[in-house]
Amino acid sequence: MELQLDLYGPLFLHTLSYWWVIVPSIFLGLLVGAIPGFSAANTIIILLPLTLVMDVEVGLIFMVALYCSSRMGAGIPAILVNIPGTAGAAATPLDGYPMTKAGRGQQALAMSFVASSLGGLLTTVLALMTMPWLAQVGYYMHSVEMIVVMLFGISLIASIAARDTLKGLIAGFFGLMIGSIGADHVYATPRGTMGFLELYDGVPLIPALVGLFAVSEAFLIIEAQSILSRHSRDLLKTAGWSATLEGARIALARWWHITWNSIIGLVIGVIPGAGASIASFVAYQQSRTYSKTPEAYGTGHPEGLIAPESANNGVTAGTLIPLLILGIPGGATAAIMLVVMQYHGVIMGPHLFSDRPDLGYGVFMAMAVTYLIMSFTILPLSRYMSKVTLVSTAYMAPIIIAFTLVGSFVPREYMFDMALGLVFGVIGYIARKTGYHVAAILIGVILGPLLEQYFLRALKMSEGDISVLFSSSLGNVLWVALFVTVLTPFALDYKRRRRAAHG
Amino acid sequence: MNETGGKKSIGGDFVIPVAALVFTLYYFSTIIESPWTAQVAAFFIGAILIALTLLFLVKSAIAIGRGQADLGMNAVIAPTGLLATRLGLLAITAAYLVLIEWGGFTLTTFGFLLAAMLLLNRGQRAGFITLFALAVSLGGYLIFILAFETRFPRGPFEELIQAAMQAGI
């Protein structure tokens, strides 16, 4: 496969002419991304009959625009009301919500939009340039390497635990234990299911996300009339366009941070089975580790918001690379795109770029145009969206509970999942009131089963030989990187304290 | 964690570790006779969790022994003035989950929003709340069920509208 640079200009203009498909798809994507339980994948499935009757190019542009904007949409409730729309935005409220509570919600949204658009646009261009090489990444990432990638994400628990180590670690390991519920990956032995058949496939993520973040938040916010203090309300009410511009300026000034974290997202996105949640946790953890002000993370630090948002949008381009070049979907949305393309008789693989370059390169061009259009259409909305936080909690809390619990019903259509959402809500409420971080529990629930799956696969293939974990060159490089990442905060902290002691 | 009379009330801090400990022991009981593939990760994670929990319990017991903390539950129940409202909201939410299977999304959501908003507003602005709850639940129906055909729980209202539409009314 060769790069066809001369094709990009005309293709860009051609894709731009489909703005009439892209703009409504963006708004639809923002809506479905913002409500837990409604992912881009679900929406594309719902609208599948419509997608199939569309011209293949229009259908593809529609799906890509919806996919990109839903990623950005998931960050909006995460910032404004501490409720991530998808698991990929679970690291966003760590610093986004404290900014909102301080009356800087508009600024935080602007930062998130710029980081998402720029991160997505940059990784799309990078994906276009490096597709043939990036597609190979999946071949080198076996179980051992994936174990280390998972541990990168899980090590974020240690960062979250920094303020109260014992409570943070208890929350994280409790999450890992909950994540172990379900049939084991080899013999399908049910474990810890309490007799519920609905838990044999493991703990579903949406009810966990909805309960730990949304329901617990709804029960917490009723303690005051507003989620904002009087000062923050005044600040938000009087904020003009300057807050949006300031947010955009703060994000743009951290262009290197956006670049670095979106590339983390791109590379993780290329790996089949990995996804936005892993990418955003890894990015947040990396960002905090190498920051000069790690203690500011979790208090409304701009870099703590920019890192996960640029990473989860970087994933978007990454997941499509194995789909287009190898015919292997990198995620649920990519798998549905594969179905639609096959229905239209389009065969995925390297030949796509020679036989139908308008579609092969067109996917990434649609992505680039979507991110460009999004940056102009969505950024001004931050001023109005942030006003949601002015709504009284007496109205906001019941709406959050009703719509998020019903959202947890949608993926599997089990009433059980709604009840599970409430159970997680009670756990999340008690955890928050007593200083256990719900994000640490969620990291365990998300990454625990994946880690176990890769761990068992590696052990089975090596016939129980544990040294397999250190048997690959790439894996060993990643192990070294992991240890450096885990130990660096301690080294930097020691250095800082020594410097302070010496005046 | 709250402070009462100079002492920290840490009773609430035990809920998560004790729940974790009980769940881990239950989990172990379900895998004790399973193949090693089902046990290895759980025993590893569970053992660490038990060790962390015991460490926390010992640390807390020392604080209580030294008179620096007590077993008060203030952290969980504060502010106490809102306890009844919070329990009421929990009860309404539980009723919502039970009833939605038969009542469907629109009717049950209307009832839930009405009851919850009236509770949180202490019965004031009943007229506005009724209209608001009606608008939100109907809006949800129009957007999610009618426009996007999302798989929300269906009940008499949804069936009635569907039948009316099929009959061309």
Side-chain angles (χ1 to χ4, degrees):
Chain A
M1 208 192 99
E2 287 178 14
L3 298 178
Q4 295 179 301
L5 296 173
D6 54 324
L7 190 77
Y8 294 169
L11 193 56
F12 176 79
L13 293 174
H14 175 69
T15 312
L16 203 57
S17 71
Y18 284 105
W19 63 269
W20 54 274
V21 181
I22 296 172
V23 172
S25 308
I26 286 174
F27 287 102
L28 180 61
L30 286 176
L31 179 72
V32 298
I35 304 172
F38 293 79
S39 57
N42 280 349
T43 311
I44 294 173
I45 291 172
I46 292 163
L47 299 177
L48 204 57
L50 182 72
T51 320
L52 294 177
V53 295
M54 285 177 181
D55 173 67
V56 61
E57 202 178 0
V58 176
L60 208 57
I61 290 172
F62 163 74
M63 289 189 288
V64 167
L66 191 80
Y67 184 33
C68 297
S69 55
S70 68
R71 277 264 190 271
M72 191 190 271
I76 297 170
I79 292 167
L80 295 179
V81 282
N82 201 14
I83 302 165
T86 62
T92 304
L94 291 174
D95 279 277
Y97 189 56
M99 291 181 81
T100 296
K101 286 184 96 170
R104 293 164 61 207
Q106 185 180 338
Q107 204 181 78
L109 281 178
M111 262 184 239
S112 155
F113 293 161
V114 171
S116 301
S117 303
L118 212 58
L121 189 60
L122 180 84
T123 45
T124 305
V125 174
L126 268 174
L128 263 173
M129 300 295 175
T130 58
M131 258 189 301
W133 301 283
L134 269 177
Q136 305 298 318
V137 170
Y139 286 130
Y140 295 103
M141 299 300 289
H142 305 298
S143 303
V144 172
E145 290 79 8
M146 287 305 292
I147 288 170
V148 194
V149 171
M150 297 297 152
L151 287 174
F152 263 107
I154 288 173
S155 66
L156 176 57
I157 291 173
S159 303
I160 289 172
R163 288 202 196 108
D164 189 335
T165 313
L166 203 47
K167 281 186 173 179
L169 291 177
I170 288 172
F173 276 89
F174 187 30
L176 285 168
M177 208 65 217
I178 294 172
S180 308
I181 291 175
D184 92 277
H185 300 284
V186 181
Y187 296 108
T189 317
R191 303 168 304 170
T193 57
M194 290 165 270
F196 293 111
L197 280 173
E198 293 90 340
L199 289 175
Y200 273 44
D201 285 339
V203 173
L205 281 186
I206 298 298
L209 184 76
V210 157
L212 289 172
F213 282 89
V215 178
S216 67
E217 183 67 24
F219 277 85
L220 273 178
I221 60 175
I222 60 168
E223 288 176 8
Q225 275 198 323
S226 166
I227 60 170
L228 305 175
S229 65
R230 186 178 290 274
H231 171 70
S232 303
R233 283 175 75 88
D234 292 342
L235 208 64
L236 185 62
K237 276 180 184 169
T238 54
W241 290 109
S242 58
T244 298
L245 294 174
E246 179 61 10
R249 188 199 65 75
I250 291 171
L252 288 170
R254 286 158 177 80
W255 63 270
W256 172 243
H257 207 71
I258 294 174
T259 308
W260 168 36
N261 286 295
S262 58
I263 291 173
I264 289 178
L266 176 67
V267 174
I268 291 179
V270 173
I271 306 165
S277 52
I278 297 167
S280 56
F281 289 139
V282 171
Y284 188 90
Q285 200 271 349
Q286 291 288 302
S287 172
R288 190 183 184 279
T289 299
Y290 297 105
S291 169
K292 287 177 183 163
T293 52
E295 69 285 353
Y297 280 68
T299 62
H301 192 46
E303 284 158 22
L305 170 61
I306 289 169
E309 283 299 284
S310 38
N312 64 32
N313 280 275
V315 166
T316 317
T319 51
L320 295 183
I321 291 176
L323 170 74
L324 293 170
I325 298 190
L326 308 172
I328 303 167
T333 313
I336 300 160
M337 285 185 192
L338 178 70
V339 173
V340 175
M341 299 282 263
Q342 280 178 344
Y343 175 83
H344 286 287
V346 179
I347 306 298
M348 298 291 187
H351 291 295
L352 178 69
F353 292 86
S354 49
D355 299 345
R356 294 291 305 268
D358 57 321
L359 292 181
Y361 294 109
V363 168
F364 292 101
M365 216 42 95
M367 211 170 249
V369 171
T370 300
Y371 278 117
L372 266 182
I373 293 179
M374 264 204 290
S375 53
F376 293 111
T377 50
I378 306 304
L379 195 60
L381 292 181
S382 61
R383 184 175 176 184
Y384 307 103
M385 286 177 178
S386 59
K387 299 288 190 275
V388 166
T389 53
L390 293 171
V391 174
S392 164
T393 55
Y395 302 108
M396 195 191 282
I399 293 175
I400 288 174
I401 293 172
F403 280 86
T404 56
L405 282 180
V406 174
S408 60
F409 169 85
V410 175
R412 305 198 304 173
E413 292 185 63
Y414 289 162
M415 288 294 168
F416 175 85
D417 288 355
M418 292 175 72
L420 193 62
L422 184 60
V423 171
F424 271 109
V426 173
I427 294 173
Y429 175 79
I430 295 170
R432 281 163 186 252
K433 291 287 272 185
T434 52
Y436 295 88
H437 216 299
V438 288
I441 301 177
L442 189 70
I443 292 169
V445 175
I446 294 174
L447 300 187
L450 293 171
L451 179 69
E452 187 192 22
Q453 183 186 330
Y454 288 115
F455 182 65
L456 285 179
R457 197 178 292 167
L459 281 185
K460 283 295 280 181
M461 289 174 76
S462 67
E463 294 176 345
D465 181 8
I466 197 84
S467 67
V468 71
L469 298 178
F470 307 100
S471 60
S472 94
S473 307
L474 180 60
N476 290 340
V477 170
L478 289 171
W479 276 117
V480 172
L482 176 66
F483 282 112
V484 169
T485 303
V486 171
L487 294 177
T488 298
F490 296 105
L492 290 176
D493 191 42
Y494 175 72
K495 205 171 148 189
R496 235 175 264 128
R497 272 189 284 134
R498 271 196 62 174
R499 199 176 290 161
H502 292 295
Chain B
M1 203 183 294
N2 274 16
E3 293 207 18
T4 48
K7 281 185 180 181
K8 286 177 183 169
S9 293
I10 57 169
D13 292 21
F14 288 114
V15 179
I16 295 292
V18 169
L21 190 65
V22 170
F23 175 70
T24 305
L25 294 176
Y26 158 72
Y27 192 102
F28 283 178
S29 74
T30 66
I31 57 167
I32 204 77
E33 288 175 10
S34 300
W36 69 270
T37 50
Q39 294 176 333
V40 61
F43 277 140
F44 179 67
I45 294 166
I48 296 176
L49 182 57
I50 289 172
L52 289 169
T53 306
L54 292 178
L55 186 63
F56 179 80
L57 294 178
V58 169
K59 205 177 141 194
S60 304
I62 291 171
I64 293 169
R66 285 181 180 162
Q68 296 163 339
D70 61 38
L71 285 171
M73 297 291 284
N74 285 2
V76 178
I77 57 174
T80 43
L82 262 179
L83 187 60
T85 307
R86 209 180 295 133
L87 289 174
L89 184 61
L90 186 64
I92 293 171
T93 308
Y96 176 56
L97 297 186
V98 172
L99 295 174
I100 199 168
E101 192 169 359
W102 296 282
F105 168 77
T106 316
L107 281 181
T108 323
T109 301
F110 168 68
F112 168 75
L113 292 178
L114 182 67
M117 286 176 187
L118 281 174
L119 174 77
L120 296 176
N121 278 290
R122 297 174 200 287
Q124 291 172 346
R125 308 187 72 190
F128 169 76
I129 286 172
T130 308
L131 288 176
F132 186 62
L134 193 66
V136 173
S137 48
L138 279 178
Y141 169 76
L142 289 173
I143 295 173
F144 297 112
I145 298 179
L146 211 59
F148 294 132
E149 296 183 6
T150 311
R151 296 167 292 181
F152 273 16
R154 314 265 165 140
F157 177 79
E158 289 81 8
E159 302 293 339
L160 185 71
I161 297 287
Q162 194 178 5
M165 285 167 74
Q166 279 170 353
I169 300 170

